[in-house]
Amino acid sequence: MGTDKEWRVIGSQLKSLPDNMIHIIFAMLGSSCPHLLSSELVKEYFLRSHSVTLTSGMGNERSPISKYTVGAIATMGPGLVRLHLIGFDKMTDQSFAAVISRHPTLENLSLCGCTLVGPKTIKAIANACPSLTSINLNYTSVAPLALAPLLRSSKDRLEVLKVAGISSWTDPAFAQLRAELLTTEDFSFLALRTLKLRQTSLTDASVNALIPLLPNIRRVDVSFTDIRRPLATHIYLANLEKLSVTSTDVSPSDLMVALSAATRLRTLNIGALGGSHGKRSAYGGGVSTMTLTDNHLRALTSVLLQNTVIENVSLVGNAKLARDADVVAEFILLVGRRLKKLNLSGLPFLRSLDLLHFAPVDPEDMAKEVIRTNPDIWEKWREEAAHDKNDVSPKLKALSADCSLRELSLNSTDIDDDVAVYISCCHSLEILEVAGTKLSSNGLFTVIDACPKLTTLNLTRCRGVSVADRRRFFESAEIGGEAGGGLSLRTALESITAISARSE
């Protein structure tokens, strides 16, 4: 718990630290042990940095992080650049406005989950924050038209706009916002790169009317909406880096055409296509409504085979996939092994053998597979190589490189211990999700021994893994964390515990 003398020493040390160091320590503690960050502790030692993140889950029963903690941000000194307030659903619109109006240097603001945020807060941001470049209003109460003052004042500098999960974002409401903005001649958002409209009630009528105002858009999330043909008629696909259309009625055929033009795409989320009609998550839902089939996956493999920068793909919940014995294996061979993150959860027909191509591949064997599955692409590569007075070996070498996956999700699939030898080839793996599978302790420890970077493992509903074996994994992961620098964090935790106890 710490003596008064220890508390005075630690408190003095915290106060003597520079602002940029306080920010780092606060972020570490907020991530690892938020329950130790009492309201008194936060107000006394941590509200003096250029960056502050507070969540409603911080603190404890005696001293929770509350509206009073957030209110103290208004008394901070100048220079606050980044402010993230997450999940404060009981704090009023007026209270947020009062805090934000005191910080004109804000550039990055998130009010995600602050459900009472509305027009007063938006007006305060528009009037007081001339340098704002990023705003996250997900799961607030900001209606489209209420956003107009902020969008007008920041149209030349705003880079990130997120308005997910707001029920008032409908086509008629959006039409009002668009009409208001277009009263200004040639209105557009030249700086906007990221747009998140996830879980709204918008359709193609709104989305495709908005996109022409965003000539430099790079990242779009319209998952769980009523869209069917996003970006279908526009020319901005060539610069797109992220596209999320999970749980929508987007046609897989139309999607393949669009993706052919998106040669710079790094992240593609196309989970549960056809399964929700934009109203709910289709993950785990009925198979009959799903529209992405093995034939579509083969087409997607051909498209992404030619994409040299793709890093993340989610196919979660597309329950009709993997009925063909070879289609997922081909995808893994030609695309999946090059990714950093792959989500195949919720594919009930996925078997262990589908993942065999995580294992090392010889370039000659890779050439044979490309010729067999995609002869047109092979001929294109040869022609390009001949034009450059080269050969296709660099492409084959890149495709044949060791599996680079860092995160793999296989929840609710039909894999068993046979998959362990293939996953064990993913030596860079850090996160593995195998909840609800047939993986047992034998397979689990084969993977753990071969993947030294593995720190996060989801074993929920894995009946073949005993409680004792789960404990062994988590103990070994904790020891590995200390070896990689976790010891300094543990020391910090001991210090913060002493301060927290004294403050209470």
Side-chain angles (χ1 to χ4, degrees):
M1 297 295 289
T3 65
D4 287 347
K5 182 178 180 181
E6 289 173 335
W7 172 80
R8 286 194 296 270
V9 171
I10 296 170
S12 176
Q13 290 175 338
L14 280 175
K15 287 187 174 181
S16 67
L17 289 173
D19 290 351
N20 60 339
M21 184 63 70
I22 280 291
H23 161 61
I24 294 172
I25 292 176
F26 189 40
M28 291 169 64
L29 296 176
S31 174
S32 302
C33 50
H35 61 285
L36 295 180
L37 294 170
S38 66
S39 180
E40 290 80 2
L41 187 65
V42 170
K43 288 190 290 186
E44 184 167 358
Y45 295 104
F46 293 106
L47 296 186
R48 60 178 180 87
S49 174
H50 69 281
S51 175
V52 171
T53 297
L54 296 180
T55 73
S56 59
M58 288 180 173
N60 48 59
E61 291 184 2
R62 291 185 179 182
S63 184
I65 301 298
S66 65
K67 62 180 180 181
Y68 302 107
T69 321
V70 175
I73 296 174
T75 63
M76 287 178 60
L80 184 63
V81 174
R82 180 181 179 274
L83 177 61
H84 286 198
L85 303 174
I86 313 299
F88 293 96
D89 55 2
K90 297 180 181 178
M91 190 167 168
T92 67
D93 191 19
Q94 181 63 50
S95 297
F96 283 108
V99 170
I100 292 169
S101 63
R102 301 295 296 273
H103 293 286
T105 54
L106 278 176
E107 297 178 10
N108 186 315
L109 176 63
S110 176
L111 300 172
C112 180
C114 299
T115 56
L116 298 182
V117 164
K120 293 179 180 178
T121 301
I122 298 303
K123 184 176 180 180
I125 299 170
N127 293 336
C129 304
S131 301
L132 194 73
T133 60
S134 174
I135 184 157
N136 184 339
L137 297 169
N138 293 345
Y139 309 104
T140 63
S141 296
V142 179
L145 191 58
L147 199 56
L150 174 58
L151 296 182
R152 279 189 179 281
S153 65
S154 61
K155 70 181 184 67
D156 294 328
R157 64 177 183 278
L158 192 65
E159 299 176 7
V160 177
L161 174 62
K162 298 181 180 182
V163 290
I166 306 178
S167 60
S168 60
W169 278 69
T170 62
D171 283 349
F174 175 79
Q176 291 180 321
L177 171 62
R178 183 172 180 271
E180 173 65 22
L181 296 178
L182 292 182
T183 58
T184 300
E185 187 176 359
D186 297 327
F187 185 92
S188 65
F189 298 97
L190 295 177
L192 200 69
R193 301 292 189 271
T194 299
L195 177 66
K196 189 168 188 176
L197 300 172
R198 185 185 183 97
Q199 287 180 287
T200 61
S201 296
L202 298 179
T203 70
D204 293 333
S206 296
V207 175
N208 289 330
L210 176 61
I211 293 299
L213 304 181
L214 318 175
N216 297 306
I217 195 68
R218 297 291 184 270
R219 292 168 289 275
V220 176
D221 186 348
V222 287
S223 298
F224 302 96
T225 65
D226 290 324
I227 58 97
R228 293 175 179 270
R229 302 188 67 188
L231 315 182
T233 59
H234 303 294
I235 62 173
Y236 310 118
L237 288 164
N239 294 321
L240 206 62
E241 297 174 0
K242 176 180 179 179
L243 178 62
S244 298
V245 292
T246 292
S247 276
T248 64
D249 279 334
V250 170
S251 161
S253 298
D254 289 343
L255 183 63
M256 299 308 149
V257 174
L259 292 178
S260 297
T263 56
R264 299 182 183 179
L265 197 69
R266 294 181 178 274
T267 297
L268 176 64
N269 297 321
I270 53 173
L273 288 185
S276 75
H277 304 285
K279 299 302 182 184
R280 55 178 172 79
S281 172
Y283 179 66
V287 176
S288 61
T289 60
M290 303 299 172
T291 55
L292 193 70
T293 66
D294 286 340
N295 287 335
H296 295 126
L297 183 57
R298 277 202 170 92
L300 179 66
T301 300
S302 297
V303 170
L304 296 184
L305 173 60
Q306 304 173 77
N307 182 323
T308 60
V309 297
I310 190 71
E311 296 179 342
N312 309 310
V313 174
S314 174
L315 297 169
V316 60
N318 286 297
K320 288 184 178 179
L321 293 183
R323 292 183 174 184
D324 185 310
D326 299 322
V327 66
V328 174
E330 292 173 7
F331 176 81
I332 295 294
L333 177 65
L334 301 177
V335 179
R337 55 185 292 109
R338 293 185 284 128
L339 302 174
K340 294 181 179 179
K341 181 178 179 181
L342 176 61
N343 191 340
L344 297 175
S345 295
L347 308 188
F349 300 105
L350 186 73
R351 295 140 298 206
S352 296
L353 193 61
D354 293 327
L355 308 181
L356 83 164
H357 289 310
F358 283 144
V361 180
D362 184 84
E364 290 186 6
D365 292 334
M366 180 66 75
K368 293 176 182 178
E369 188 65 18
V370 175
I371 293 171
R372 183 183 72 83
T373 59
N374 294 274
D376 293 342
I377 293 177
W378 178 258
E379 287 303 317
K380 177 183 176 182
W381 286 356
R382 290 186 60 189
E383 291 174 4
E384 291 174 347
H387 181 270
D388 296 333
K389 297 181 179 180
N390 205 335
D391 56 36
V392 297
S393 58
K395 289 184 181 294
L396 292 176
K397 185 177 181 180
L399 288 174
S400 306
D402 289 344
C403 180
S404 55
L405 274 177
R406 299 177 185 175
E407 182 172 344
L408 177 62
S409 298
L410 300 168
N411 300 327
S412 301
T413 59
D414 198 35
I415 62 168
D416 54 24
D417 282 346
D418 290 342
V419 81
V421 65
Y422 308 132
I423 298 178
S424 295
C425 298
C426 305
H427 301 301
S428 298
L429 200 63
E430 301 171 7
I431 299 173
L432 175 62
E433 305 229 4
V434 289
T437 66
K438 299 175 184 176
L439 196 68
S440 74
S441 297
N442 292 333
L444 170 65
F445 282 100
T446 298
V447 172
I448 291 173
D449 290 342
C451 301
K453 297 182 180 180
L454 188 64
T455 57
T456 301
L457 183 61
N458 184 355
L459 298 172
T460 306
R461 294 180 288 109
C462 286
R463 298 178 180 179
V465 182
S466 68
V467 173
D469 286 339
R470 297 182 195 209
R471 186 178 298 114
R472 285 174 58 195
F473 166 73
F474 293 120
E475 286 174 351
S476 65
E478 183 178 348
I479 292 171
E482 284 191 22
L487 188 59
S488 60
L489 176 57
R490 178 163 293 183
T491 302
L493 298 185
E494 293 173 353
S495 299
I496 209 70
T497 301
I499 299 175
S500 180
R502 178 62 179 82
S503 296
E504 293 177 0

